[in-house]
């Protein structure tokens, strides 16, 4: 399998996942304070929305790369 073909398949899979889920979230630690034996930390949950056009564009580019890569 060539490198271009692998990139095309990854784009297609990523685009399909983006369309299926629509968003993903992660937790990041923003503040930490340590006062003697006491430790306090603040964690924020961030959500990233994936636009439908981005998923469709990734799938389309992946398909184009697969088709043109065979020549």
């Amino acid at each position: 399998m060539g490198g271009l073909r692998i990139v095309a398949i990854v784009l297609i899979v990523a685009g399909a996942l983006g369309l299926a889920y629509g968003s993903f979230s992660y937790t990041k630690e923003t503040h930490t304070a340590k006062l003697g034996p006491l430790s306090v930390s603040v964690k924020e949950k961030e959500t990233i929305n994936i636009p439908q056009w981005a998923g469709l564009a990734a799938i389309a580019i992946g398909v184009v790369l697969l088709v043109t890569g065979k020549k």
Side-chain angles (χ1 to χ4, degrees), residues 8-40:
I9 291 171
V10 168
L11 279 172
I12 293 170
V13 170
L17 288 174
L19 287 176
Y21 290 106
S23 67
F24 66 93
S25 60
Y26 64 95
T27 304
K28 69 176 184 176
E29 190 170 320
T30 57
H31 297 89
T32 303
K34 197 165 191 176
L35 304 168
L38 183 62
S39 178
V40 179

Side-chain angles (χ1 to χ4, degrees), residues 4 10 13-14 20 22 26-27 29-30 32 41 45 49-54 58-59 61 67 71:
L4 186 64
V10 168
V13 170
Y26 64 95
T27 304
E29 190 170 320
T30 57
T32 303
S41 64
K45 186 174 182 181
N49 293 320
I50 301 169
Q52 286 184 347
W53 62 264
I59 292 172
I61 293 169
V67 170
K71 293 182 180 179

